[in-house]
């Protein structure tokens, strides 16, 4: 943030009128500085001070929305370069590119990737439609892509084709990616009239910067920056420098989300494409365009994205319930763990490896790890037995063997009192030990 | 108006650790910029890629991997073959069968194997233990003696066994160690402090700050590495300037995405081997982008792709 609380305070009326809902002008100024409240909540601020402060206290990176209906996506709005400083807010979106010759083959594959991971539906978010010189065929491809129920990116630098394509799909708020130093005026008009986000590119950062400034001068701040495809090295350097200029050096002309087109950079090498997609998910790719998306690529990439865009203050949580592992039925042994997603994944992986059918019971423990939630009283004999009653565990499983993590062996006695009829088994301290434990276990 | 570039300059550099001997050495670390930020300054040594070779042999159930190592029956032959993978910078021998809870192979047998492998490889050698801290402590000291002059790196010295390894392998025989901690900047720093207090010089210490597969809590790995590199470079914290080496393969091949056969996996997941490669490559690439100076990978296709990535970015 550019402004300190004190700088803002100096421009306020200093009447402590409380009309903004804060006890004093100083308190209000501090909140504005932290981004907790906007400056226009002060009813008595002078127009001059407001203009001065709005400019300086504007977020360093634009937050945009694309798409319509249930396919609306948020882009940008980031405030930090490293997730530990606060959190990343708009996850990278993955797109697959189609052209007139490959659209029929690719669309079914795009739709095939569709699964759920920790409460999030994972699909190819966007489809990038490439223009290859023939307007009629391009429009035909756009129509086909439109049928796939995804938000589109129109990658076209021909004004005539761009306009005709937008006439077809502008209601769905696609991105028009095609402005450059020579056509920006025409593209500005087309994008503004259609009310869509405009993608800008150029051969290097100076050209891009210059074109963005011209578009801003013409009143368009609804932009994304295509980092270009000169080389992998350049694309990475551009993506980092654009984001860093905006967030660290307060250069708002680069305060826009980015597009990285890996279908051009990876040159058909799918494994290299996976490597690049991973790097750009960490380092500042708002939209990542791939030549295809198989499950093999999707599983690690969507998992990585889900990790990186987790709020560091809010751990990822699993829904508390019974998860049958290895085809467990009501007679299979039960094991209990906490709802912290990481704990769940670690133990679930080991249970799967054992091959033994187990009902893994995920208890509501506030999203903390086993020891942390135990120490905080959220994973105790009391909370576990309460959870058993509330979620009706005893009606869902017939087995009365319950395996608890070795680190909370101390719960055994109390659990046996609270859960009459259950045999409490103390598992190993580390998840990895459970494979051997289960293999040796005789009901 | 043209774009005003503001390169990020730091008052510090990551320390260099050299492994290997003679004309076959690699240097880890040495950079004074954030990972792959070659636009801020030249990256002195590119990140390195190691090939994991288990003493249990390669998983020949994976068709491509099996084909690659076809004919290499002895572990030394496997290691020799691994040296030919394009992009491979070092070999990382894992003494899995030394585990007292597993095959519990004797120290003498492990030392003999290490000697055999060291004689066969044409690249520098990293030795990974059995994960049993007590056994590793005894094992590493004996191997250090047997491989004098080879300048190998031992993975990993932990809080419970670092003393013996630091004194017995590093001070006595001039080998290198990687300090292993569990994805926490404070634990990493504390262990580095303990090791340096034993009189071990920076040039002998790398660190393994822990890892996870992509999707399995990898945000902790990223934030730990981000914070370590930022502390090392911006605050000149010399207890965090050790280069980071990350064994990626063992984690990524152990998650469901990589080990479920096509029959066990949900419909559409496709062949197991390509899933495992993608998981290994995505995780390694993210680890490098977050600050690893070296990654250890299992599959030749992963080694090829990740080294291509490094070549393109440095």
């Amino acid at each position: 943030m550019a402004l300190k609380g004190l700088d803002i305070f100096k421009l306020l009326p200093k009447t402590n009128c409380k009309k903004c809902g804060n006890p004093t002008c100083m308190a209000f100024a501090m909140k504005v500085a932290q981004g907790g409240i906007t400056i226009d909540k002060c009813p008595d601020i002078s127009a001059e001070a407001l203009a001065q402060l709005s400019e300086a206290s504007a977020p360093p990176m634009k937050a945009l929305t694309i798409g319509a209906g249930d396919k609306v996506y948020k882009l940008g709005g980031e405030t930090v370069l490293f997730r530990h400083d606060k959190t990343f807010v708009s996850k990278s979106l993955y797109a697959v590119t189609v052209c007139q010759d490959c659209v029929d083959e690719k669309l079914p594959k795009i739709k095939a990737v569709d699964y759920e991971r920790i409460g999030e539906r994972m699909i190819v978010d966007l489809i990038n439609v490439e223009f290859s010189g023939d307007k009629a065929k391009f429009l035909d491809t756009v129509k086909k892509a439109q049928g796939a129920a995804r938000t589109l990116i129109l990658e076209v630098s021909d004004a005539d084709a761009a306009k005709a394509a937008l006439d077809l799909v502008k209601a769905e708020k696609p991105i028009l990616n095609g402005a450059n130093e020579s056509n920006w005026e025409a593209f500005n008009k087309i994008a503004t009239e259609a009310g869509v986000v405009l993608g800008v590119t150029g051969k290097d950062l100076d050209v891009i910067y210059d074109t963005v400034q011209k578009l801003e001068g013409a009143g368009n701040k609804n932009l994304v920056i295509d980092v270009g495809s000169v080389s992998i090295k350049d694309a990475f350097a551009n993506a980092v420098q654009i984001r860093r200029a905006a967030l660290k050096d307060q250069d708002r002309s680069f305060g826009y989300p980015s597009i990285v087109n890996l279908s051009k950079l990876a040159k058909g090498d799918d494994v290299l494409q996976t490597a690049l997609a991973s790097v750009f998910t960490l380092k500042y790719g708002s939209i990542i365009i791939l030549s295809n998306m198989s499950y093999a690529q999707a599983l690690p990439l969507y998992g990585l994205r889900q990790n990186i865009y987790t709020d560091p203050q809010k751990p990822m949580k699993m829904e508390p319930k019974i998860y049958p592992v290895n085809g467990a039925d009501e007679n299979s042994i039960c094991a209990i763990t906490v709802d912290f997603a990481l704990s769940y994944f670690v133990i679930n992986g080991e249970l799967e490896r054992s091959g033994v059918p187990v009902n893994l019971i995920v208890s509501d423990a506030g999203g903390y790890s086993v020891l942390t939630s135990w120490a905080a009283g959220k994973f105790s004999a009391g909370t576990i037995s309460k959870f058993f009653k509330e979620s009706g565990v005893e009606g869902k499983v017939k087995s009365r063997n319950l395996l608890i993590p070795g680190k909370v062996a101390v719960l055994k006695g109390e659990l046996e009192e609270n859960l009459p009829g259950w045999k409490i088994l103390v598992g190993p301290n580390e998840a990895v030990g459970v494979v051997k434990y289960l293999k040796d276990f005789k009901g | 108006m043209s774009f005003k570039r503001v390169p990020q300059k730091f008052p510090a550099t990551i320390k260099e650790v050299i492994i290997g001997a003679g004309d076959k050495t690699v240097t880890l670390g040495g950079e004074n910029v954030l990972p792959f930020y070659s636009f801020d300054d030249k990256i002195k040594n590119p990140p390195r890629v190691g090939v994991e070779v288990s003493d249990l042999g390669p998983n020949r159930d994976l068709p491509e991997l099996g084909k690659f190592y076809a004919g290499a029956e002895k572990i030394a032959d496997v290691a020799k073959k691994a040296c030919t993978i394009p992009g491979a910078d070092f070999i990382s021998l894992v003494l899995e069968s030394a585990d007292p809870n597993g095959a519990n192979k004797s120290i003498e047998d492990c030392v003999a194997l290490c000697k055999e492998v060291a004689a066969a490889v044409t690249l520098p050698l990293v030795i990974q233990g059995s994960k049993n801290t007590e056994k590793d402590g005894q094992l590493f000291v004996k191997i250090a003696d047997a491989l004098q002059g080879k300048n190998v790196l031992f993975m990993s010295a932990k809080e419970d066994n670092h003393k013996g390894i630091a004194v017995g392998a590093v001070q006595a025989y001039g080998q290198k160690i990687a300090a292993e901690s569990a994805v926490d900047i404070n634990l990493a720093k504390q262990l580095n402090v303990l090791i340096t207090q034993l009189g071990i010089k920076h040039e002998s210490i790398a660190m393994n700050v822990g890892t996870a597969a992509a999707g399995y809590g990898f945000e902790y790995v990223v934030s730990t590495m981000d914070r370590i590199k930022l502390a090392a470079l911006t605050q000149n914290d010399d207890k965090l300037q050790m280069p980071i080496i990350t064994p990626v393969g063992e984690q990524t091949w152990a998650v469901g995405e990589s080990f479920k056969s096509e029959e066990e996996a949900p419909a559409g997941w496709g062949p197991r081997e390509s899933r495992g490669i993608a998981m290994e490559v995505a995780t390694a690439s993210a680890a490098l982008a977050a600050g690893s100076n070296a990654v250890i990978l299992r599959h030749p296709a992963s080694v090829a792709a990740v080294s291509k990535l490094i070549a393109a970015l440095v």
Side-chain angles (χ1 to χ4, degrees), chain B residues 47-62:
Chain B
R48 305 296 184 175
V49 183
V51 189
E52 182 191 303
V53 173
S54 164
D55 65 352
L56 299 172
N59 181 351
R60 297 180 200 267
D61 295 343
L62 298 171

Side-chain angles (χ1 to χ4, degrees), chain A residues 83 117 244 269 278 307 342, chain B residues 40 215-216 218 223 282 308:
Chain A
R83 61 178 295 283
R117 189 179 204 274
R244 193 170 70 183
D269 182 337
S278 174
N307 282 170
L342 194 50
Chain B
D40 282 340
Y216 292 82
F218 199 79
S223 287
K308 241 191 246 180

Side-chain angles (χ1 to χ4, degrees), chain A residues 82-84 117-118 205-206 209-210 213 232-233 236-237 240-241 244-245 248-249 251 254 269 271-272 274-276 278-279 282-284 295-297 299-301 303-304 307-308 310 315-316 340 342 345-346 349 352-353 436, chain B residues 1-3 5-8 34-40 213-220 222-223 226-227 230 254 256-257 259-260 267-269 274-275 277-279 281-283 285-286 289-290 301 305 308-309 312-314:
Chain A
F82 297 96
R83 61 178 295 283
H84 66 263
R117 189 179 204 274
I118 326 181
L205 279 183
D206 295 313
Y209 191 79
D210 189 53
Q213 288 214 321
I232 290 169
K233 196 171 178 169
F236 180 73
V240 172
Q241 291 184 94
R244 193 170 70 183
K248 186 170 154 289
D249 305 322
D251 190 336
F254 267 166
D269 182 337
V271 190
L272 180 62
T274 304
L276 288 166
S278 174
V279 169
L282 252 68
K283 289 287 164 101
Y284 316 137
Y295 261 98
Q297 284 186 86
L299 295 167
L301 289 178
L304 178 67
N307 282 170
I308 301 305
T310 304
M316 284 194 300
F340 178 39
L342 194 50
F345 272 127
V346 171
E352 282 185 343
R353 252 169 19 108
K436 189 169 185 301
Chain B
M1 220 168 78
S2 66
F3 173 54
R5 286 170 176 73
V6 189
Q8 210 170 355
L34 290 174
F36 297 128
Y37 284 22
S38 60
F39 41 87
D40 282 340
Y216 292 82
F218 199 79
E219 70 271 31
Y220 296 95
V222 170
S223 287
D226 278 347
R227 291 179 63 199
L230 287 168
E257 288 91 329
F259 75 67
K260 280 185 190 160
W269 275 26
S274 29
R275 278 184 268 127
I277 293 168
M279 182 54 90
V281 165
T283 305
S285 306
K308 241 191 246 180
L309 174 83
L313 283 173
V314 169

Side-chain angles (χ1 to χ4, degrees), chain B residues 85-206:
Chain B
I85 300 172
D89 295 310
F90 62 92
I91 299 299
S92 186
L93 177 65
V94 192
L95 300 170
E96 270 181 87
S97 51
D99 185 358
N101 298 317
N104 198 16
K105 204 164 147 184
S106 74
I107 291 179
E108 292 69 38
D109 287 351
C110 291
V111 170
L113 177 72
C114 287
K115 282 172 87 166
E116 209 183 321
V117 169
V121 294
T122 53
L123 294 174
L125 197 56
V126 166
I127 309 275
Q128 287 175 265
S130 63
K131 296 209 185 310
N132 180 292
T133 45
E134 203 185 320
K135 179 87 173 259
D136 286 354
Q138 302 162 0
L139 194 57
F140 288 164
V141 173
K142 296 283 184 207
I143 298 169
D145 179 7
L147 298 187
Q148 278 185 61
K150 296 278 183 190
N151 194 21
V152 301
L153 176 85
F154 290 104
M155 306 267 289
S156 295
K158 296 184 196 163
E159 196 172 341
D160 290 339
N161 64 6
H162 73 276
K163 233 178 215 170
I165 300 170
V167 174
V170 185
Q171 265 173 355
Y173 299 108
Q175 315 283 15
K176 306 289 160 71
I177 48 169
E180 179 182 338
S181 51
V183 201
D184 180 311
I185 184 172
N186 296 312
L187 295 178
K189 181 166 174 170
Q190 187 191 332
L191 187 52
N192 290 342
V193 169
L194 292 174
I195 293 172
T196 44
Q197 276 173 353
L198 293 168
I200 307 293
K201 297 269 180 298
H202 255 106
E203 65 217 34
S204 301
I205 315 167

Side-chain angles (χ1 to χ4, degrees), chain A residues 73-237:
Chain A
Y73 290 97
K74 221 170 102 230
L75 288 172
E78 303 298 341
T79 56
V80 292
L81 287 169
F82 297 96
R83 61 178 295 283
H84 66 263
D85 283 335
K86 194 169 182 191
T87 179
F88 290 160
V89 292
S90 301
K91 66 183 180 189
S92 303
L93 301 179
Y94 298 121
V96 166
T97 192
V98 297
C99 57
Q100 61 191 44
D101 299 327
C102 65
V103 62
D104 295 323
E105 180 216 332
K106 279 190 179 179
L107 287 181
K109 290 185 185 165
I110 288 171
K111 284 189 177 171
V113 173
D114 191 343
Y115 65 104
E116 199 180 297
R117 189 179 204 274
I118 326 181
E120 187 183 347
R121 187 177 169 208
M122 305 300 194
I123 55 170
V124 174
D125 306 300
L126 314 172
I127 295 177
N128 182 66
V129 188
E130 281 171 50
F131 175 67
S132 39
D134 184 320
K135 182 178 152 192
K137 283 187 178 159
F138 177 61
L139 296 180
D140 189 43
T141 314
V142 170
K143 273 187 221 156
K144 284 178 181 166
Q146 188 183 18
R150 297 286 192 275
T151 297
L152 302 183
I153 306 167
L154 306 172
E155 188 195 337
V156 48
S157 50
D158 176 279
D160 189 34
K163 202 165 177 329
L166 277 177
D167 283 342
L168 293 173
V169 295
K170 68 182 171 197
E172 289 151 39
K173 300 286 174 207
I175 292 175
L176 173 60
N177 185 17
N180 55 43
E181 76 265 36
S182 51
N183 71 7
W184 67 270
E185 280 179 292
F187 268 69
N188 180 39
K189 194 159 166 280
I190 297 168
T192 317
E193 275 171 12
V196 299
V197 171
L198 179 63
V200 190
T201 197
K203 69 172 168 48
D204 59 36
L205 279 183
D206 295 313
V207 175
I208 298 173
Y209 191 79
D210 189 53
T211 312
V212 168
Q213 288 214 321
K214 283 176 179 152
L215 284 160
E216 286 184 325
N220 194 347
K221 292 192 173 181
N222 208 14
L223 307 172
V224 292
I225 298 174
D226 185 327
V227 300
S229 45
V230 177
S231 72
I232 290 169
K233 196 171 178 169
D234 277 4
F236 180 73

